[in-house]
Amino acid sequence: MKVLVCGGAGYIGSNMTAMLARGGHEPVVFDNLAKGHRSAVKDAEFVRGDLADYGLLVETLGNYGIDAVMHFAAFIEVGESVEKPLTYYRNNFCNTHNLLCAMAEAGVEKFVFSSTAAVYGMPETTPITEETSKAPINPYGESKWAVERLCHFLSETKKLRYAALRYFNAAGAGQDCTLGEDHRPESHLIPLIIQAAMGKRDAVSIFGTDYPTPDGTCVRDYIHIEDLCKAHLLALDKLDEAYELVCNLGNGKGYSVREVIETVKKVSGKDFRVIEADRRRGDPPVLTADATKAKIELGWRTDYPQLEKIIQSAWTWHDNHPDGYDSKSPRPV
Ligand code: UFG
């Protein structure tokens, strides 16, 4: 299948592109490189473009004979979204609306959308099922939820077949540890801890040690990037028959911030300074997924549920790319 991967130069998109190519599909990456890295795109055609550019989208969908779109191009910083709601709604919602319009014009009806556990806000109970109330507490989560609602209504008109995949905490490196996580600025826990272990940061901060969790720190459900991408391939196949598919993607097991720090210390063999800091605004104490639906409806199985394996892959990538994608000559794996 010819698949347009919007945001295919980013962390999840680049891993997805590589997996599509491995699986015999023909991915075409569409990315404005505002956040992504050109060198993260290897086995695919590359179109440098912005989702706001309607003409270029229609042209690209037509010229490449695209059969389906996977959409990863979004801003993902919860804190920043609170400061800049207009920016988040424009990029995450308006640009996706533009993309869906272009797909309608070009006659492309399959859409796999990168959604998030942030649509659930502060859930009262965990693990979270797809039926748990959707109550986003920030513009980031709202902008993703608004796209899901739009897709839902479009699917009812039978003009769109879509899968909304709600990620918990994507982590690790894929494609034999050659495609890793390099956000600028970095805000995600695992890469930040690894940077501390590599001596690139003075310390790592724990945001809150007084949560109602076993060790007082937040608990998250980390899912290996390869397992996450695998679910997208299954979802794409499912869209041959389904108009609507909404699934959580997580392992169903949570690890605390302290456990993640200890695991990085173990995997890397390095010690580093840990600072106990105040809570970060808007962090739910526990987010774990009930991913039974993805297992039943997609036949999804995770290959790397162990935190240590996830962190080992991330460590390998960072160790080989000490300056991220700017590394002059990344060491071969
Ligand atoms: N954390 C720290 N110190 C840090 C960074 C993070 O203690 O320096 C903590 C956070 O407070 C949180 C946990 O580590 O408890 C994980 O934080 P991340 O920023 O890595 O990930 P989040 O769980 O906040 O966010 C992830 C995705 C978002 C998505 C969200 C859904 O990255 O895109 O899940 O809830 F919105």
Side-chain angles (χ1 to χ4, degrees):
M1 214 181 277
K2 291 189 178 161
V3 183
L4 189 71
V5 186
C6 299
Y11 169 48
I12 302 178
S14 61
N15 275 281
M16 190 70 240
T17 300
M19 190 177 281
L20 282 163
R22 280 201 316 270
H25 294 285
E26 293 176 51
V28 176
V29 167
F30 189 95
D31 199 300
N32 64 6
L33 297 182
K35 300 280 180 184
H37 307 277
R38 181 63 183 87
S39 58
V41 182
K42 289 169 180 132
D43 301 316
E45 298 275 356
F46 181 82
V47 177
R48 185 166 186 171
D50 197 286
L51 290 178
D53 189 341
Y54 185 76
L56 183 61
L57 277 173
V58 175
E59 188 187 312
T60 305
L61 291 166
N63 285 353
Y64 287 96
I66 297 296
D67 303 300
V69 173
M70 290 189 174
H71 179 28
F72 303 91
F75 291 154
I76 58 164
E77 298 285 331
V78 169
E80 185 185 53
S81 80
V82 176
E83 304 298 323
K84 302 177 181 169
L86 290 172
T87 306
Y88 270 68
Y89 271 76
R90 171 175 296 154
N91 194 46
N92 294 3
F93 180 77
C94 302
N95 285 351
T96 306
H97 175 272
N98 210 36
L99 171 61
L100 289 165
C101 292
M103 286 171 60
E105 183 164 335
V108 179
E109 65 165 10
K110 290 181 182 161
F111 186 59
V112 180
F113 177 59
S114 165
S115 191
T116 169
V119 301
Y120 299 110
M122 292 272 185
E124 277 168 20
T125 55
T126 53
I128 298 168
T129 74
E130 291 78 5
E131 303 313 314
T132 298
S133 309
K134 267 59 75 185
I137 55 167
N138 49 60
Y140 168 70
E142 276 290 354
S143 65
K144 291 277 182 175
W145 177 230
V147 171
E148 281 201 34
R149 297 307 291 154
L150 173 58
C151 290
H152 166 73
F153 291 118
L154 278 172
S155 75
E156 289 201 321
T157 68
K158 305 283 184 225
K159 291 192 178 123
L160 184 76
R161 294 173 182 272
Y162 86 101
L165 303 177
R166 297 180 183 150
Y167 312 157
F168 282 65
N169 290 62
Q175 180 83 338
D176 295 327
C177 302
T178 58
L179 296 173
E181 199 171 358
D182 181 1
H183 304 289
R184 316 277 173 97
E186 191 53 74
S187 67
H188 288 74
L189 182 66
I190 292 177
L192 285 171
I193 303 173
I194 289 178
Q195 288 172 359
M198 293 172 79
K200 297 180 88 67
R201 283 179 191 273
D202 292 345
V204 66
S205 297
I206 301 179
F207 296 147
T209 53
D210 57 350
Y211 283 101
T213 58
D215 68 16
T217 68
C218 285
V219 170
R220 292 290 181 272
D221 184 341
Y222 296 90
I223 174 84
H224 196 293
I225 187 76
E226 291 274 311
D227 285 330
L228 191 85
C229 291
K230 207 169 76 175
H232 291 64
L233 281 189
L234 296 168
L236 188 60
D237 284 345
K238 188 84 180 172
L239 294 185
D240 284 338
E241 62 194 58
Y243 275 94
E244 179 170 51
L245 176 74
V246 178
C247 287
N248 287 338
L249 296 180
N251 279 305
K253 179 166 167 43
Y255 292 94
S256 72
V257 174
R258 285 193 209 276
E259 286 175 311
V260 177
I261 291 173
E262 287 314 310
T263 308
V264 174
K265 286 187 176 175
K266 183 174 166 204
V267 165
S268 65
K270 312 271 185 201
D271 201 6
F272 45 86
R273 201 156 69 92
V274 176
I275 297 167
E276 298 196 353
D278 290 341
R279 290 182 178 198
R280 191 173 68 176
R281 249 177 75 201
D283 268 339
V286 180
L287 285 177
T288 54
D290 180 336
T292 309
K293 194 172 169 203
K295 288 179 185 150
I296 293 173
E297 296 207 6
L298 297 176
W300 184 54
R301 296 285 174 278
T302 55
D303 292 322
Y304 311 102
Q306 309 87 348
L307 182 64
E308 200 169 320
K309 285 213 168 143
I310 295 174
I311 289 180
Q312 180 65 61
S313 72
W315 172 257
T316 301
W317 186 80
H318 282 274
D319 197 32
N320 291 328
H321 299 77
D323 298 314
Y325 281 106
D326 290 342
S327 303
K328 288 281 176 284
S329 44
R331 272 177 262 152
V333 181

